[in-house]
């Protein structure tokens, strides 16, 4: 220190002689000058540096990172850190993953930059007041595969992901299955925030779409976003999945929807319970639980309604044929309790079975099932 103070050596030379970094040397030199100001430089000794606090990265985690960074497209650093926590309970920050990747020659080309997502401007103060719903078509299984829709839904207050599921196509049956699945797990919100898609918005004044009628039966409603930017929270969720799922599916050789949805359920739970949301500075599950404790909740339990299985099905009116039968696919089934030309309500259920009702769903009444056709064995 005295030699450097007398300009006999440079900071780099002094740091090299002490086998420390130039930055650490300047920190020590600052302490030395403080002692010199009190005429105590002769008795000054450096304090303990704290030693090497770098954690040892397990081999299983390193193998995982090699696989993720070797996928096409390569995984992001934040996703690699998230997967280490989810799979091996090894908590590590993004910067450590980046340093490891660079030191091992895996500083992969980064994904193309996207336009910045809209900035959050407001949020609901109660969970269940509003859930944002949207669909993101994307080639999740590789650029040479067709784009498939990912259905996303999250609570506007807590950012809890209440639904994330891949389907073959964006159809009415897919929406029915997705909403029923989410409501079974999390209860009923007051409203869904959607765009002006034909599944949600009817061009006929004061008319409801099929989904609108199903929601209205349980006192839910749609709220319409004027622009995609108005649904910024769910749009950012799309980007979150697009930065993670293609790399994971490529690394783990996942190519079918059933396997993808099983992994997606695990990732959704991990995101909700383990990852800190940057805007809330807590996990979504923690924000959800806190709102419940503080009685800031508009969530309603799914009603034990006899119509539930029929509301969340694809209902079409059909007429009993002159021979007293009705069609289910390529087969015909006899209806002995109804006369020909009677109009029944055919319900195609989520499990592939069919029911025929004498009357459409109405509150205060019970379903009268005329015929039940079980789903074919798989």
């Amino acid at each position: 220190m005295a030699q450097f103070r007398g300009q006999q050596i440079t900071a780099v030379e002094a740091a090299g002689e002490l086998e420390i970094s130039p930055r650490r040397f300047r920190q020590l030199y600052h302490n030395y000058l403080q002692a010199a100001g009190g005429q105590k430089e002769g008795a000054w000794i450096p304090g303990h540096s704290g030693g090497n606090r770098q954690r040892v990265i397990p081999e299983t985690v390193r193998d995982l990172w090699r696989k993720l960074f070797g996928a096409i497209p390569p995984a992001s650093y934040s996703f690699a850190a998230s997967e280490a926590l989810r799979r091996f309970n090894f908590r590590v920050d993004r910067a450590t993953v980046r340093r490891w990747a660079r030191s091992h020659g895996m500083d992969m080309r980064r994904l193309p930059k996207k336009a910045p997502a809209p900035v959050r401007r407001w949020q609901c103060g109660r969970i269940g007041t509003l859930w944002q719903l949207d669909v993101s078509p994307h080639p999740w299984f590789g650029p040479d595969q067709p784009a498939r829709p990912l259905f996303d839904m999250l609570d506007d207050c807590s950012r809890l992901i209440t639904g994330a599921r891949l389907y073959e196509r964006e159809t009415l049956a897919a929406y029915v299955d997705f909403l029923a699945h989410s409501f079974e797990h999390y209860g009923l919100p007051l409203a869904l925030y959607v765009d002006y898609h034909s599944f949600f918005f009817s061009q006929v004044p004061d008319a409801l779409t099929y989904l609108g009628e199903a929601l209205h039966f349980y006192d839910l409603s749609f709220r319409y976003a004027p622009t995609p930017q108005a649904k910024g929270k769910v749009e950012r969720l799309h980007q979150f999945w697009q930065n993670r799922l293609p790399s994971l599916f490529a690394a783990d050789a996942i190519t079918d929807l059933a396997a993808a949805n099983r992994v997606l359920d695990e990732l959704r739970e991990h995101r909700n319970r383990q990852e800190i949301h940057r805007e809330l500075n807590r996990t979504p599950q923690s924000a959800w639980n806190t709102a419940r404790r503080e009685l800031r909740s508009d969530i309603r339990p799914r009603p034990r309604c006899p119509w539930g299985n029929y509301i969340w099905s694809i209902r079409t009116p059909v007429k009993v044929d002159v021979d007293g039968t009705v069609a289910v696919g390529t087969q015909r089934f006899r209806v002995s309790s109804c006369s020909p030309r009677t109009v029944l309500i055919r319900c195609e259920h989520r499990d592939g079975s069919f029911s025929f009702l004498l009357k459409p769903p109405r509150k205060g009444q019970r379903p009268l099932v005329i015929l039940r056709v079980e789903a074919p064995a798989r």
Side-chain angles (χ1 to χ4, degrees), residues 342-359:
T342 301
V343 177
L344 303 177
I345 306 299
R346 182 178 63 191
C347 302
E348 182 179 355
H349 299 288
R350 296 159 56 202
D351 61 358
S353 63
F354 289 83
S355 296
F356 289 83
L357 304 178
L358 185 61
K359 295 181 180 180

Side-chain angles (χ1 to χ4, degrees), residues 84-298:
L85 176 61
R86 183 178 73 90
R87 299 192 187 196
F88 305 110
N89 198 29
F90 182 75
R91 188 177 295 274
V92 64
D93 55 43
R94 175 181 177 276
T96 300
V97 179
R98 183 179 66 248
R99 286 194 296 269
W100 182 89
R102 289 181 175 179
S103 66
H104 288 76
M106 296 183 184
D107 188 19
M108 308 296 293
R109 59 178 178 83
R110 301 317 321 148
L111 298 174
K113 291 186 177 180
K114 299 181 180 180
V119 177
R120 175 182 62 84
R121 302 200 180 275
W122 61 273
Q123 69 181 40
C124 294
R126 301 169 65 89
I127 60 173
T129 302
L130 189 70
W131 287 2
Q132 294 197 16
L133 168 65
D134 200 19
V135 174
S136 172
H138 191 76
W140 305 101
F141 299 104
D144 57 336
Q145 298 296 317
R148 290 182 172 86
L150 174 66
F151 288 59
D152 269 333
M153 189 160 61
L154 81 164
D155 178 65
D156 189 86
C157 172
S158 65
R159 309 303 201 281
L160 188 86
I161 304 174
T162 55
R165 204 159 187 82
L166 282 163
Y167 290 91
E168 190 69 36
R169 292 179 298 278
E170 184 180 2
T171 63
L172 178 60
Y175 274 106
V176 167
D177 178 74
F178 177 73
L179 291 175
H181 187 267
S182 297
F183 294 157
E184 287 170 358
H185 283 78
Y186 293 101
L188 300 177
L190 294 182
L192 299 181
Y193 200 43
V194 296
D195 52 26
Y196 284 93
H197 197 289
S198 59
F199 285 116
F200 313 128
F201 183 77
S202 174
Q203 299 295 333
V204 180
D206 300 324
L208 294 174
T209 63
Y210 187 95
L211 290 176
E213 289 182 350
L215 295 177
H216 182 70
F217 192 88
Y218 291 115
D219 299 320
L220 275 76
S221 62
F222 286 131
R223 287 181 60 182
Y224 301 101
T227 63
Q229 290 78 9
K231 298 192 280 78
K233 299 180 185 68
V234 73
E235 293 288 344
R236 285 191 288 273
L237 183 59
H238 292 335
Q239 293 186 6
F240 172 82
W241 293 126
Q242 289 173 13
N243 288 337
R244 296 191 172 196
L245 293 184
S247 302
L248 180 62
F249 291 164
D252 288 349
I254 296 175
T255 57
D256 65 280
L257 290 177
N261 280 324
R262 286 193 294 270
V263 173
L264 192 53
D265 285 339
E266 297 175 3
L267 292 175
R268 178 177 57 82
E269 284 295 317
H270 178 76
R271 170 66 171 174
N272 285 339
R273 297 180 180 275
Q274 298 292 335
E275 296 195 20
I276 303 296
H277 196 283
R278 62 181 178 85
E279 294 176 350
L280 302 178
N281 199 28
R282 65 175 73 181
T283 64
Q285 188 67 57
S286 175
W288 176 279
N289 295 340
T290 299
R292 277 195 176 277
R293 287 195 303 269
E294 296 174 354
L295 303 181
R296 293 185 293 106
S297 175
D298 288 325

